[in-house]
Amino acid sequence: SIATGSCIGLVYDDPRFTPPEQIRYDCCIVIDDTELGIDTARLARRNLRELRTRPGRYVCQPHRGGYVDVGKSYSRLLDHWIATSGYSLTDDPAIEWYEAVPAKNPGDALEILLMLPVR
């Protein structure tokens, strides 16, 4: 069942500069190609669409805690690590990889791997 796949979020905007209500975000379930046969018509009937991430380098930061503190974890990556690393961000979205299904976790006990695409 696709409902048991890992949950990820794709973040298209920088949360330091974009107001929260304007951040573009896709909620996703990770599936392999065999689960739905990647039949776009079948996905559309379930109000789903296929999104694929590109392979590449990512800098990763674990986040444990609530949604309200996710911005602090992003800041550690963006304001500190990226600023001094010699790497720069690509135009690909950041990935939030949820270690547990968010709906089954209390909002203050999340375990998320923040992944920023770099070159």
Side-chain angles (χ1 to χ4, degrees):
S1 158
I2 65 168
T4 60
S6 298
C7 295
I8 66 171
L10 300 179
V11 185
Y12 298 91
D13 300 294
D14 189 329
R16 297 172 303 165
F17 306 114
T18 307
E21 66 277 1
Q22 294 179 1
I23 290 179
R24 295 170 296 149
Y25 187 95
D26 283 318
C27 297
C28 305
I29 300 169
V30 178
I31 60 173
D32 70 34
D33 291 349
T34 61
E35 289 191 63
L36 287 178
I38 306 303
D39 177 348
T40 55
R42 188 172 173 198
L43 287 172
R45 285 193 299 275
R46 293 177 169 208
N47 292 321
L48 301 172
R49 63 187 170 103
E50 177 186 0
L51 295 172
R52 291 181 182 253
T53 57
R54 292 191 295 195
R57 290 186 175 169
Y58 289 83
V59 59
C60 300
Q61 168 75 44
H63 170 79
R64 287 179 177 69
Y67 284 115
V68 296
D69 295 323
V70 171
K72 292 176 187 174
S73 293
Y74 274 112
S75 287
R76 275 194 294 279
L77 281 173
L78 294 165
D79 296 332
H80 301 289
W81 193 88
I82 291 287
T84 60
S85 70
Y87 287 90
S88 60
L89 295 174
T90 71
D91 291 332
D92 293 311
I95 298 173
E96 295 179 351
W97 189 285
Y98 289 81
E99 300 296 328
V101 177
K104 294 183 179 180
N105 245 7
D108 60 348
L110 299 170
E111 292 187 31
I112 307 169
L113 183 62
L114 306 178
M115 303 168 62
L116 298 180
V118 295
R119 63 174 156 270

